[in-house]
Amino acid sequence: MKLAVGVHDHGDGAWAAAVAFDEWDAPEASRTFVSRIAQVEKPSRGALDLRQLPCLVQLLREHALAPDLIVFDGAVYLDAAETPGLGRSLYDALGGRTVIIGVSTRSMPGLPAQFEVYREEEARPVIVTCAGIDLGAAKARIRAMHGKRRVPTLLKRVARIARDGG
């Protein structure tokens, strides 16, 4: 099973969402999952913002999900030196058994062009970082995802579900 996941803060809590899909070019999710997280701890000043990590872990546990791969809006690594980001922390939390692909619309300082993926008709690339899969394979999969815009359709869909709380 492949999942696109997203978290959206709501007051002191958050909504975590996942959409399952079978094929990379799938325009629709095969299943949808949502979890309400009652309390989300804010990161301390200057610390890496990992507040989404427990939300995603709770979502996976609550729905007994064991995906082969997770795609999310964010970074696995923060730079070319592989400074861990949220995605790498999720990869470690899942015991390295689940491939993680991060798709970011924001450029990261010091990250070379090899991490850029141009999708369809877009003039600006997305930045792809990954753990548990070769970068070239991850980029090919993101390029193959449904949608003609910069952000794949299912990543937009999961973000909307998390924002709307289901």
Side-chain angles (χ1 to χ4, degrees), residues 18-80:
V19 296
F21 60 101
D22 300 315
E23 301 300 325
W24 285 100
D25 61 350
E28 297 287 329
S30 57
R31 292 189 63 200
T32 301
F33 308 92
V34 179
S35 292
R36 172 77 174 124
I37 293 76
Q39 184 70 33
V40 177
E41 297 297 321
K42 304 292 184 210
S44 58
R45 190 175 183 103
L48 180 61
D49 187 354
L50 295 176
R51 67 184 137 183
Q52 291 185 7
L53 181 61
C55 301
L56 294 171
V57 170
Q58 178 179 325
L59 171 77
L60 296 173
R61 287 190 181 141
E62 193 172 293
H63 296 282
L65 300 173
D68 300 316
L69 184 141
I70 293 174
V71 178
F72 77 106
D73 177 3
V76 175
Y77 294 108
L78 303 178
D79 54 33

